């Protein structure tokens, strides 16, 4: 079964959301088990994004906080955190074209975040993109 990247990103968002809930509530888990719960297929892209976000979470959050005006990432909802972290990860640590990484995050935010948070995510990713170019 062929799944497009947008659908795979939705799975990544769901997995990262679930991991955030487990971490917040001190529920034991393995990342591979959470991936298997959500993703019906074994997919390297999903694993790369999920493990990448987990690996770089501290630096991703630090960068997000730098560009969130009067906010911090821990004030965002779990879904919003997952979307923003994925977007930043794809922008900085993958070969995904920058415009695609930003657009995919915004498309998820249009569906799963409110308008204010969507604009916030867009703003952070835009600032990271423009400062990355320097």
């Amino acid at each position: 079964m062929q799944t497009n990247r947008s659908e795979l990103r939705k799975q990544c968002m769901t997995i990262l959301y679930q991991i955030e809930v487990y971490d917040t509530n001190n529920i034991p888990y393995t990342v591979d088990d959470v991936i298997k719960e959500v993703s019906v297929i074994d997919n390297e892209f999903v694993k790369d994004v999920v493990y990448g976000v987990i690996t770089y979470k501290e630096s991703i959050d630090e960068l997000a906080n730098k560009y969130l005006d009067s906010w911090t990432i821990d004030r965002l909802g779990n879904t919003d955190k997952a979307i923003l972290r994925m977007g930043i990860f794809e922008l900085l640590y993958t070969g995904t074209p920058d415009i695609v990484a930003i657009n995919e995050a915004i498309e998820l935010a249009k569906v799963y975040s409110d308008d204010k948070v969507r604009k916030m995510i867009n703003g952070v990713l835009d600032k990271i993109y423009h400062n990355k170019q320097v």
Side-chain angles (χ1 to χ4, degrees):
M1 179 174 95
Q2 185 71 3
T3 306
N4 69 36
R5 286 277 171 104
S6 295
E7 185 59 37
L8 294 174
R9 284 181 181 89
K10 181 179 169 188
Q11 291 177 17
C12 292
M13 177 196 70
T14 304
I15 293 162
L16 292 167
Y17 168 89
Q18 193 65 43
I19 288 171
E20 188 72 20
V21 170
Y22 288 158
D23 285 343
T24 302
N25 294 293
N26 296 316
I27 298 170
Y29 66 92
T30 67
V31 176
D32 286 335
D33 286 344
V34 179
I35 289 172
K36 287 176 191 165
E37 286 174 24
V38 173
S39 186
V40 293
I41 55 167
D42 187 28
N43 186 279
E44 284 305 309
F45 177 78
V46 171
K47 288 180 185 176
D48 289 347
V49 171
V50 170
Y51 276 102
V53 169
I54 292 167
T55 300
Y56 296 105
K57 182 179 170 186
E58 194 173 302
S59 58
I60 288 170
D61 286 2
E62 193 176 296
L63 193 57
N65 289 337
K66 178 179 174 182
Y67 293 114
L68 280 166
D69 297 327
S70 306
W71 274 72
T72 57
I73 194 167
D74 59 316
R75 290 180 65 193
L76 296 175
N78 291 338
T79 303
D80 306 320
K81 286 181 201 175
I83 293 168
L84 182 55
R85 286 174 177 151
M86 281 175 28
I88 293 171
F89 173 75
E90 280 204 81
L91 265 177
L92 298 180
Y93 300 103
T94 70
T96 303
D98 293 341
I99 195 71
V100 173
I102 294 169
N103 187 54
E104 289 287 336
I106 298 311
E107 289 302 314
L108 282 170
K110 282 180 183 176
V111 177
Y112 297 101
S113 302
D114 68 29
D115 205 44
K116 181 179 175 187
V117 174
R118 180 190 55 78
K119 288 177 182 174
M120 201 180 295
I121 291 170
N122 189 28
V124 169
L125 294 176
D126 189 59
K127 289 173 189 171
I128 291 170
Y129 166 74
H130 282 95
N131 286 308
K132 179 181 159 186
Q133 300 302 312
V134 177

